[in-house]
Amino acid sequence: MALEPIDLTGGPSVYCFNQQQITTAHELVFGDPTTGPRLQGELDRLESTYSRNERAALAFVVIDRLLKSPPNTR
């Protein structure tokens, strides 16, 4: 009896990021003198407080909420 193959990919992709989006995000966090320190502080806090899986869950939910919210809202 043959075993069914197991899908290790987690299913179809839902969100894709391009290189420009990642570059812009890094510039905002690490290069901008106004937003950088605040965002870096929050990033450091998240990384020291939550596990990798918890941070991934937060990231996915934040991205999902951003996609569902109107632009220019706080």
Side-chain angles (χ1 to χ4, degrees):
M1 181 165 134
L3 294 175
E4 291 288 321
I6 299 172
D7 181 11
L8 299 177
T9 64
S13 292
V14 177
Y15 306 116
C16 296
F17 305 103
N18 65 43
Q19 186 61 49
Q20 182 60 43
Q21 290 169 309
I22 297 297
T23 299
T24 301
H26 277 264
E27 288 172 1
L28 194 61
V29 174
F30 301 110
D32 188 291
T34 303
T35 60
R38 186 169 52 105
L39 293 172
Q40 286 175 44
E42 192 61 26
L43 186 60
D44 290 343
R45 186 185 70 77
L46 290 170
E47 289 180 336
S48 67
T49 304
Y50 297 104
S51 71
R52 185 177 190 277
N53 285 345
E54 290 168 330
R55 293 190 321 265
L58 285 171
F60 292 140
V61 170
V62 167
I63 291 166
D64 188 55
R65 286 183 176 190
L66 285 169
L67 289 170
K68 293 176 180 173
S69 68
N72 300 323
T73 60
R74 189 161 192 190

